[in-house]
Structure formats: structure tokens, C-alpha cells
Amino acid sequence: MTGFATQQLHAGSPASRVTPRALPIYLTAGFVLDDFDQAVDHFSTGDGFSYTRVANPTNQAVEQRMAVLEGGAEALLLGSGQAALAVTILGLLQSGDHMLSASSIYEGSRGFFVENLPRLGIQTDFVKDANDPDAWERLIRPNTRVLFAESIPNPKNEVLDIAAVAAVASRHGIAFVVDNTLATPYLVRPLEHGADIVIHSASKFLAGHGAVLGGVIVDKDADRLAYLRDSVALRFGPTPSPLNAFLINQGVETLSLRVERQSANALGVARWLEKQPEVLSVDYPGLESNSYFELAERYLPDGTGSVFSFTLRGGIDEVRRFINALEVFTHMTHLGDVRSLVLHLATTSHNLRTDEQLEEAGIWPGTLRVSIGIEDLPDLVADLERGLTAVRG
Ligand SMILES: *Cc1c(COP(=O)(O)O)cnc(C)c1O
């Protein structure tokens, strides 16, 4: 008979081996080593599981699924999209190296490139017209190691000509990394168009319900991904919780249904907004009037995504009345949620930009970004109508 303290730790045993249909959540820091020889084997070959920062079966299931969905060789799940970006870049570049990025990218990515990387001796130059191969060519140096762009940058939806940039990267033997967060592999798989690595913020459409953060790296080269996993992520340590991995997996299981509906709703909302006299412009590539319509037809035949911006005539006062009148749209800084979201960029996510930088990014005082959810389209239109009624005063 063992003592109370020993019993509270060891009494009872997990259910005998069963096979759950849903992905089991291995919420554990470590795994029991079977016996002496298996431990020796694990530490020499890497087969099996020992510690969750090294590998975890729940996280691994999501990685394998994402590798298949993006058409890559291997994937790595991380704690956030920023972690996916950081692990990729820190694995591909070292002090003295140089990279090129499209200038229209997520604010957090831009901050990482301009504020953090220079401290590590890594310089980034920005390419304004990401679809002009010569613009990339002109800035390539002998020490350029990475080209970086987003498949659908927000808020302006300048759909990326992935194959055109991939051709430049391949001519110079440089890795081409694409952030595919806004498109998701349901709408476009950049590796099929010549990209080398795809990264995601899984916090957005992959998880889909606005409950967790996560990030994914998918590489077409298994050896390079192994280096990112075993030498970069393992040491820096942005390991996701297996509980979050479960929630991301749960989201991925309905990804196609949500993105299909969100794209259809977004097109409906964009078409309606385009006709309203209070609306100056709508940046949605699913609209025939949009200058990216043809690229969208080529790269996004199954839908043009859920996130776009539109610009109200007038300024801050009109925007304030509009936002405060909305009842269905949630006012928040997030994307890819099942719920529709709205945000005024100039005063929130982009508030550190100068007026000149805002103008260059195509963000005006009246510009609002929406992320369209899966609600009934008439209810979304009625809510926006409510907003425009308030604008009219
Ligand atoms: C949100 C986002 C990120 C950062 O992801 P987190 O999960 O918030 O760290 C990176 N890229 C894009 C395009 C994003 O929308």
C-alpha cells in the first residue's frame, strides 16, 4: 500500500488503448519512454516522442494535414503566425544577408523586418510593385537570400502574380516565401505556382473561429523544413499548445465550407457597396471593375477571399458614425473569423504610419477594412445600410 502523496500521482491508469475518431489532445509536456533501449533509440534516430517542444502527436497531425493541403513535403506548426515568419526568416538568413519583401504586407511582418532584423545584421528592401519582375531583379544583391510576399495582401488585395516572382527567385537560386494567410490553401496553393515555402497565421481562416493563435510553415523541401524544426524552432521555442493544435485542426476540417461562403458573401457585400453614393471605392478583386480581377481569375478561381477595404467619402466623423451604428459587424482587429469584422485602419493597426506612408499604402481617412463572415448576406447588407444611414446623419 503506497502513501497518499504517491497515490494522488499514480493511482488509476489511463484507459486502455482506444481509437478516438476526433483528434486526441496530447496535452502533455513529455512522453513515457518505453524502456531503456527505446530511449536510446529515440535520442539517436528521433523516432517516437519524448518532449512536446521536439514533437507532439496532436501538433504533428495538424502539420501532416497542412503539408497535404498546401502540396508541400513537410510542415511545422508554431504558436503564432509571427512565430512562423520569425522561424522561417531566422532559418534562411544570417548576419550579413539581405532579403526583399513586397511593400504591401502585414504590419507585424513589416515591423519584424524593419525593427528586429537589422539588429541581427539582416537588411530588408521593399518592392513597391510586387507584380513587376524587374522591380525585384533591380534590388537583388549577391547576398539576397529570400524574396517575401503575400498571396493576397490586405487591405488592398493586390493579388500576387506568384509565378512571376517565383521565376525571379528561381533564376537567382533564392528562396521565395509566400504568406498565404488571407487566401488559404482552399483558394490558392503557392507551391504549385513555384513558391518554395508557404507560411500562415493559423489564427485567421485555418482556426477560423477567433479563439486561438497559431502559425504554420509548409516547405516543398523536407530537409530545409527539418532544419527549421530541429535547429531553429527547437531552440527559439515557439511551440504551440496541443490544445490550440486541436482547435486549429477542428477549424481546418470546415475550411472549404467557410471560405467558399465567406468569398460569396464578400462578393455580395462588395457589389452592394460599390453602388452606394457614400462609398468612394471598393478594393475587392472579385469585382470586374478591380484592376486585379484578371489575376484573381487566374489564381483564385474558387473565390476571391473574405477580407477587403472600402473607402467612405468624408473622413473621421463619417467613419465614427458608421462604425458606431453597426450591430452585426464586430468592431475588432482580427481577420478570417466566422463572424464579420470591421476596422478603421488609419487610427488603429496603422496608427504609427505617417500620412505619406498611409497614402502610399492606399489607406485614406475614410478607409475601412472588413473581414466577411458566414452570416446571411441580407443581414450583412442591412447592417452596412444602417451604417450608411448614420453617415448621412
Ligand atoms: C495575422 C497575420 C500574421 C501574424 O499572425 P499572428 O498569428 O497574429 O501572429 C501574419 N501575416 C498575416 C497576413 C496576418 O494576417
Side-chain angles (χ1 to χ4, degrees):
M1 184 68 180
T2 51
F4 185 87
T6 302
Q7 284 171 342
Q8 72 187 7
L9 291 166
H10 297 283
S13 60
S16 57
R17 283 176 190 276
V18 289
T19 309
R21 179 56 273 203
L23 178 62
I25 306 170
Y26 288 93
L27 198 58
T28 180
F31 300 85
V32 179
L33 298 162
D34 296 345
D35 56 25
F36 184 84
D37 291 336
Q38 189 261 329
V40 173
D41 181 66
H42 169 75
F43 278 85
S44 64
T45 65
D47 289 346
F49 297 94
S50 59
Y51 190 60
T52 282
R53 179 156 44 74
V54 181
N56 175 287
T58 311
N59 299 0
Q60 196 176 73
V62 180
E63 290 169 347
Q64 289 171 354
R65 183 167 287 181
M66 285 307 301
V68 170
L69 294 180
E70 283 287 5
E74 293 231 15
L76 175 60
L77 187 70
L78 296 153
S80 70
Q82 283 292 110
L85 177 70
V87 167
T88 302
I89 297 300
L90 295 176
L92 295 177
L93 295 105
Q94 62 185 26
S95 179
D97 286 345
H98 172 252
M99 64 174 279
L100 290 178
S101 168
S103 60
S104 184
I105 54 167
Y106 178 70
E107 281 294 279
S109 306
R110 164 181 281 274
F112 179 63
F113 297 156
V114 302
E115 289 162 20
N116 298 73
L117 291 184
R119 283 196 298 109
L120 306 175
I122 298 167
Q123 300 304 325
T124 305
D125 280 316
F126 291 92
V127 175
K128 218 173 145 194
D129 182 1
N131 288 340
D132 175 7
D134 292 338
W136 295 88
E137 285 281 0
R138 276 195 294 276
L139 293 172
I140 288 176
R141 305 181 194 165
N143 60 342
T144 305
R145 299 275 174 266
V146 164
L147 305 187
F148 177 83
E150 294 180 6
S151 50
I152 310 182
N154 90 84
K156 304 306 268 189
N157 283 298
E158 306 99 326
V159 177
L160 182 67
D161 189 343
I162 301 169
V165 185
V168 176
S170 131
R171 192 153 50 243
H172 292 270
I174 298 173
F176 180 29
V177 179
V178 175
D179 181 333
N180 200 30
T181 299
L182 273 283
T184 84
Y186 176 66
L187 295 182
V188 68
R189 291 165 297 282
L191 301 182
E192 290 177 0
H193 300 282
D196 298 292
I197 294 178
V198 164
I199 64 168
H200 279 279
S201 166
S203 325
K204 314 292 168 54
F205 293 93
L206 298 180
H209 298 75
V212 293
L213 301 193
V216 186
I217 304 170
V218 184
D219 198 328
K220 70 174 191 192
D221 178 340
D223 290 340
R224 184 170 49 202
L225 197 280
Y227 177 74
L228 297 181
R229 177 196 297 282
D230 300 336
S231 298
V232 185
L234 184 68
R235 303 293 178 225
F236 283 95
T239 313
S241 164
L243 180 59
N244 288 2
F246 169 84
L247 289 165
I248 292 164
N249 182 71
Q250 194 85 333
V252 168
E253 294 186 347
T254 57
L255 181 66
S256 64
L257 301 175
R258 287 183 284 108
V259 173
E260 192 178 14
R261 172 68 170 260
Q262 284 167 313
S263 291
N265 272 356
L267 182 59
V269 167
R271 281 191 175 139
W272 182 83
L273 281 171
E274 198 178 34
K275 286 191 238 123
Q276 306 311 308
E278 295 82 5
V279 175
L280 187 64
S281 60
V282 182
D283 294 298
Y284 190 64
L287 296 173
E288 287 82 352
S289 59
N290 189 276
S291 47
Y292 292 87
F293 181 73
E294 272 161 29
L295 270 176
E297 279 197 311
R298 183 161 139 219
Y299 284 103
L300 308 165
D302 296 324
T304 33
S306 128
V307 179
F308 66 93
S309 66
F310 65 95
T311 301
L312 290 175
R313 293 179 199 281
I316 299 293
D317 288 340
E318 284 74 13
V319 164
R320 180 183 293 113
R321 290 207 293 276
F322 181 84
I323 286 189
N324 288 345
L326 297 178
E327 292 171 11
V328 177
F329 277 77
T330 304
H331 184 206
M332 79 187 272
T333 169
H334 188 50
L335 302 168
D337 200 299
V338 282
R339 289 153 285 237
S340 291
L341 315 174
V342 63
L343 191 69
H344 181 246
L345 301 173
T347 53
T348 61
S349 58
H350 292 62
N351 68 349
L352 297 180
R353 297 270 194 117
T354 62
D355 287 349
E356 199 177 50
Q357 288 170 335
L358 286 174
E359 211 167 291
E360 196 183 306
I363 298 170
W364 309 99
T367 300
L368 291 153
R369 183 185 69 199
V370 286
S371 174
I372 303 295
I374 61 171
E375 298 95 338
D376 295 295
L377 179 58
D379 292 331
L380 296 178
V381 169
D383 203 38
L384 296 170
E385 176 65 52
R386 200 173 287 129
L388 292 184
T389 304
V391 167
R392 278 175 229 124

